[in-house]
Amino acid sequence: TEMEIATQYSVARPTAKAAIERLVHEGLLQRSTNKTARVPLLDADDVRDIYYSRAFLEREIIGALADTRYMPAAALAAHRVFESFIGEPDLTIIVEADINFHRSLASALNSPRLLRLYNQMLGEIHLCMAQIQVNHLLHPALIAKEHGAIIDAIVAGDRSHAIREIDNHLNRACVRLIAHLAN
């Protein structure tokens, strides 16, 4: 509830209400009139749509980077961090490093609107990534290998190969998360 959030974080109730409403707007919480806000339970259709939208956007990002053979230093740094935490039991570190890798690719195009659009999806992307890691659906070493293949294709300037790599990367995650939800 708003009061619980206000108390827990030592903020005014209107501040807590505004934060909850923003999270509802971003799809990270669901709330009906006079009800407690809750983290949504994503179903297979939600996951399919999140990955469809994400792939639609990330294909263009990856393709544009491959066209210029530009691999942002921030993406390489995020990839190194990801690799260094592969055996880490704290999965939040892995998820954050994964998010930082993908977000840095979107940031590299220097388009404030594109980045704003990507960031709007990031909350739901985060929910999916967290579910994948918490349920051990994809080993971080495989994700690191796929990130490496994306990097290599971008640096080589091979647009079609880079797009295939991002499609495979996202599709594998989507399929495994949907299969898990079916159980």
Side-chain angles (χ1 to χ4, degrees):
T1 64
E2 294 166 9
M3 189 52 100
E4 290 169 332
I5 297 295
T7 302
Q8 182 175 350
Y9 292 100
S10 301
V11 297
R13 188 169 176 192
T15 302
K17 180 178 181 173
I20 290 170
E21 290 306 316
R22 180 166 182 180
L23 293 172
V24 168
H25 176 73
E26 292 177 6
L28 297 177
L29 291 176
Q30 290 178 338
R31 181 176 173 168
S32 55
T33 307
N34 298 321
K35 298 289 182 181
T36 301
R38 300 193 185 284
V39 175
L41 296 174
L42 301 176
D43 63 20
D45 289 336
D46 294 324
V47 170
R48 245 183 240 99
D49 189 47
I50 291 166
Y51 276 94
Y52 171 78
S53 301
R54 182 180 176 194
F56 191 84
L57 193 54
E58 288 199 38
R59 272 194 297 273
E60 290 305 313
I61 292 167
I62 297 299
L65 292 171
D67 287 345
T68 60
R69 295 178 180 225
Y70 177 63
M71 177 50 58
L76 292 172
H79 180 59
R80 283 191 298 275
V81 168
F82 188 93
E83 288 180 316
S84 70
F85 286 104
I86 285 176
E88 179 69 35
D90 184 353
L91 298 177
T92 58
I93 294 171
I94 290 288
V95 172
E96 285 302 315
D98 197 358
I99 286 171
N100 289 339
F101 174 75
H102 289 276
R103 185 181 356 184
S104 66
L105 295 173
S107 295
L109 296 180
N110 295 317
S111 170
R113 287 168 187 82
L114 178 66
L115 186 56
R116 192 167 47 242
L117 180 61
Y118 191 80
N119 283 335
Q120 280 183 296
M121 294 177 49
L122 208 49
E124 290 178 307
I125 291 170
H126 194 151
L127 287 175
C128 290
M129 286 179 171
Q131 286 299 306
I132 287 167
Q133 287 306 310
V134 164
N135 293 296
H136 307 289
L137 304 178
L138 281 172
H139 194 279
L142 176 60
I143 295 170
K145 182 179 176 185
E146 292 174 349
H147 286 177
I150 292 165
I151 291 168
D152 291 345
I154 290 170
V155 171
D158 189 340
R159 180 186 184 90
S160 61
H161 183 70
I163 290 171
R164 272 194 314 277
E165 290 296 341
I166 193 66
D167 276 343
N168 290 339
H169 177 62
L170 298 178
N171 188 54
R172 185 178 341 276
C174 180
V175 166
R176 292 203 181 167
L177 185 51
I178 289 171
H180 172 75
L181 293 172
N183 291 331

